[in-house]
Every structure is written in structure tokens, then in C-alpha cells.
Amino acid sequence: MITWILKGVSRCTPHKVTSRLLSTFHQPDLKAIAKELENFPGGSIDLTKDNETGIAVMVINNPDKRNSLSGKMMVEMSEKVDQLEQWAQGKGLILMGKDGSFCSGGDLAFVKKALHYGAEMAAFQHHTLTRLHNLPLISVALLQGHTLGGGAELSTACDFRVMSTSGKIGFVQVKMGITTGWGATTRLVSLLGRKKALQFLSSAKIMSAQEAHQEGLVDHILQNSLSHNEELEACKQWLGLNYCNYDSNLLQAVKALIVHCDSSKDTSKSLKYERDVFAQFWGGPAQKAALAAKIKHN
Ligand SMILES: CC[C@H](C(=O)O)C(=O)SCCNC(=O)CCNC(=O)[C@H](O)C(C)(C)COP(=O)(O)OP(=O)(O)OC[C@H]1O[C@@H](n2cnc3c(N)ncnc32)[C@H](O)[C@@H]1OP(=O)(O)O
């Protein structure tokens, strides 16, 4: 399938690809994009912060649609990241989905109505997820149930991934006729290297928790037969014990260390290129055919 994508690109003359690529290199007007995205309703992003433990929980809340992201939810996620950037007592963040599923990517009802809006949506998501990734706290994605497409991309914006034994994760974008739109190619190469990134992205393989852990994508598998809430508590314990177990008077020093670890690698150029490649495929014939096929990534 990845060959198809490459052929698709090579079919356009270099000039056409370059000029179209450059056309989306402009600085996006994020406020205007947010206004447009808010026209696509559904679901919510809910944030609770515990000043005692310094651990916040951000919930992707659209369970009837396997926590897929609507335009409105993309804006709410950005607003919650704003709040976390200002949270002085923050030590850690758990990103999870409602009712035992993480996230099944973009809300397909939104996707079908936003085929003209790929470059702008990608620019908005890159901005949010880069800020989430660079928060001065340790973030963990709690992967329960399905983590697919954009959902898998969200998980790579966190420092670590903790998965329930029955969870499944897959970067299924190429099966949908597109490349990654929320920055995962850049982050996977940085996280696991080019070979693993290419393997996950070109195969669109749906990995079990064991496989994802073996590949180094998942950092910890929760014990079996826990309820959804018990898995959240176990994840809080894992995060607290391993990364938030220090006195608050050390908080500023730890935050400075985290920020330095994040800034040591400038990924802005790669993200710009990723956004513009994505814009070449978004709304194209392959994506339209995949959407019409109503593919289930079980
Ligand atoms: C830039 C990111 C990129 C993009 O936005 O294009 C992507 O994220 S590409 C990937 C897009 N996501 C998908 O293609 C997922 C499609 N859904 C599935 O594969 C399955 O629903 C699955 C595996 C997530 C869950 O399967 P299961 O059998 O457990 O449940 P159902 O299929 O019955 O789903 C329950 C209910 O949820 C609706 N649903 C699931 N995923 C989405 C979604 N992404 N957008 C909108 N709605 C979704 C599904 O339609 C069912 O609703 P119902 O009203 O009962 O039909």
C-alpha cells in the first residue's frame, strides 16, 4: 500500500508537488481554523487536575463513536493544553478515552465534511499536539480498547504509553488512502527510529498490547482482568511511582529538565513537511474510496 502512496506522489510532476507543497507552507491562522472546526460538533475533551498529586486526567469523551475526534473536540483539546501549560502544580498527565476505548481517529462524519480542510486541520492538530508533547510534565497515554489512526497519533504525543492487555493499536492511515495528519510520522521516527516508523505506518498493522510492547511502542502493560477504573488507578500508580515521586520543592527543577529534554530535538521542519504531504492526499481519490468502503479496522 505504501508503494501506492509513493506512486501517487511521483505521478505529479515535481514542480506541481513542490508548488502545492509550498502553497501550504504559509503560517496558519489558528484562531480562524478553530472557529471553522467548532462548526463540526460532537463529544468533548474533559480535564480534571489534582493539585495534591500533581496528576491530571484528560478524557477523550465521544464513546458512541469510539472516542473519535470531532472538530469541536480538536478545539477543546487545544484549550485544555492551554490550561495545562499554566498549571504550576502539574507533575503528570494521563490521556485516556471514555468507557474503555482510547480513540478511533478522526470522527468520520467530520472527515467526510472536511475533505477541503486537510492542511488547516493538520496545522491545528500539529500545533496542539506539539504543545502537549512539550508540556513541562510527564504524560502517559492510557490505551484501552481501540487506538486507531489519529488515535494512535495522539498516543505518540505523550511521553509514555500504558496499555491494557486486551488493547489494540494501529496506524491505519494508509488503508484510508492518506498519510499521518497529526504528526505521528515525525514523532515515531524520533521515538523509535526510521525502520520501526516505516514498518508501523506502511503495514497499518493492528498490534496487540504484547506486540506493541515488544516493538517498544508501549512502555507498560497493565495486569489482566482489571476494570476500566482499576486500570486508570493502576496507570496513576505507575506514573506516580516512576515519574512523579518527588517533593514539590523539586518541581521547578524537574520541569526545567523535562523542557530541556523536549527542546533538544527540533522537529518543526519535519512536521511542516509531514503536514504538506498529508495535504496532498487528504480529499484525494484513495481517501474517498476508503471512506465509501466503510472499512472496519478490527
Ligand atoms: C488524520 C486522522 C485520520 C483521519 O481522521 O482520517 C484517521 O484517524 S484514519 C482512521 C479513521 N478511523 C477509522 O477508520 C475507524 C473506523 N471504525 C472502526 O474501525 C471500528 O468502528 C472500531 C474498530 C473502531 C470499533 O469496532 P467495534 O466493532 O468495536 O464497534 P463499531 O464498529 O460498531 O463502532 C461503534 C460505533 O462507533 C462508530 N465509530 C467508530 N469509529 C468511528 C470513527 N472514527 N468516526 C465515527 N464513528 C466511529 C461506529 O460507526 C459505530 O457507530 P454506529 O452508530 O453504531 O454505526
Side-chain angles (χ1 to χ4, degrees):
M1 177 64 102
I2 190 79
T3 352
W4 183 93
I5 291 269
L6 293 179
K7 271 207 198 103
V9 174
S10 58
R11 251 210 306 279
C12 324
T13 56
H15 167 69
K16 230 190 258 168
V17 173
T18 319
S19 59
R20 284 186 65 190
L21 281 178
L22 289 175
S23 70
T24 54
F25 257 107
H26 66 285
Q27 278 306 325
D29 177 348
L30 295 170
K31 280 205 170 60
I33 297 173
K35 270 203 172 337
E36 178 66 19
L37 289 173
E38 279 170 335
N39 293 328
F40 299 98
S44 64
I45 300 292
D46 310 326
L47 179 68
T48 46
K49 297 181 292 193
D50 182 334
N51 288 329
E52 283 296 302
T53 62
I55 293 181
V57 179
M58 187 189 291
V59 180
I60 308 164
N61 186 354
N62 195 12
D64 294 348
K65 295 189 164 189
R66 290 291 185 273
N67 299 322
S68 53
L69 244 55
S70 66
K72 167 183 172 275
M73 291 166 77
M74 292 176 193
V75 177
E76 289 192 3
M77 185 172 278
S78 175
E79 290 163 351
K80 298 306 189 286
V81 172
D82 293 344
Q83 290 178 30
L84 289 166
E85 283 173 333
Q86 306 306 320
W87 187 30
Q89 298 92 327
K91 289 183 177 179
L93 167 68
I94 294 173
L95 174 65
M96 66 183 291
K98 184 85 174 168
D99 293 352
S101 182
F102 182 69
C103 172
S104 65
D107 175 343
L108 294 174
F110 156 72
V111 170
K112 288 170 191 161
K113 291 183 203 140
L115 293 178
H116 63 293
Y117 214 58
E120 293 78 0
M121 182 266 291
F124 191 85
Q125 286 295 86
H126 281 201
H127 187 253
T128 299
L129 297 182
T130 300
R131 291 186 305 121
L132 190 156
H133 194 232
N134 293 343
L135 282 169
L137 41 75
I138 300 293
S139 55
V140 179
L142 171 53
L143 308 183
Q144 300 165 306
H146 288 100
T147 300
L148 294 172
E153 297 200 60
L154 291 182
S155 81
T156 64
C158 293
D159 297 311
F160 300 102
R161 281 143 297 281
V162 168
M163 201 158 179
S164 55
T165 41
S166 57
K168 291 182 181 171
I169 182 168
F171 295 88
V172 297
Q173 283 79 349
V174 280
K175 271 189 181 168
M176 301 302 287
I178 54 174
T179 55
T180 51
W182 298 353
T185 300
T186 299
R187 291 191 295 269
L188 277 175
V189 170
S190 167
L191 189 67
L192 295 171
R194 181 180 180 282
K195 272 195 304 194
K196 285 257 181 271
L198 203 50
Q199 180 195 342
F200 297 162
L201 296 167
S202 61
S203 70
K205 182 174 189 269
I206 309 284
M207 291 178 271
S208 67
Q210 291 68 25
E211 289 169 320
H213 188 244
Q214 217 158 21
E215 295 290 359
L217 177 61
V218 160
D219 302 279
H220 177 66
I221 300 180
L222 294 168
Q223 71 179 75
N224 217 340
S225 67
L226 293 179
S227 71
H228 296 154
N229 286 337
E230 285 166 337
E231 287 185 330
L232 172 57
E233 288 315 309
C235 187
K236 281 182 184 174
Q237 254 184 25
W238 183 86
L239 174 59
L241 270 180
N242 289 289
Y243 297 98
C244 303
N245 188 17
Y246 51 83
D247 291 341
S248 299
N249 61 334
L250 303 181
L251 186 58
Q252 293 318 317
V254 175
K255 280 183 180 288
L257 283 170
I258 293 169
V259 171
H260 182 228
C261 289
D262 288 331
S263 59
S264 61
K265 201 159 195 175
D266 177 8
T267 57
S268 54
K269 193 158 166 280
S270 171
L271 280 170
K272 255 192 192 165
Y273 184 81
E274 179 167 349
R275 185 158 69 234
D276 288 292
V277 169
F278 173 75
Q280 304 309 312
F281 292 96
W282 184 266
Q287 184 188 22
K288 288 178 181 163
L291 290 169
K294 295 191 166 58
I295 302 168
K296 278 190 74 163
H297 306 279
N298 274 325

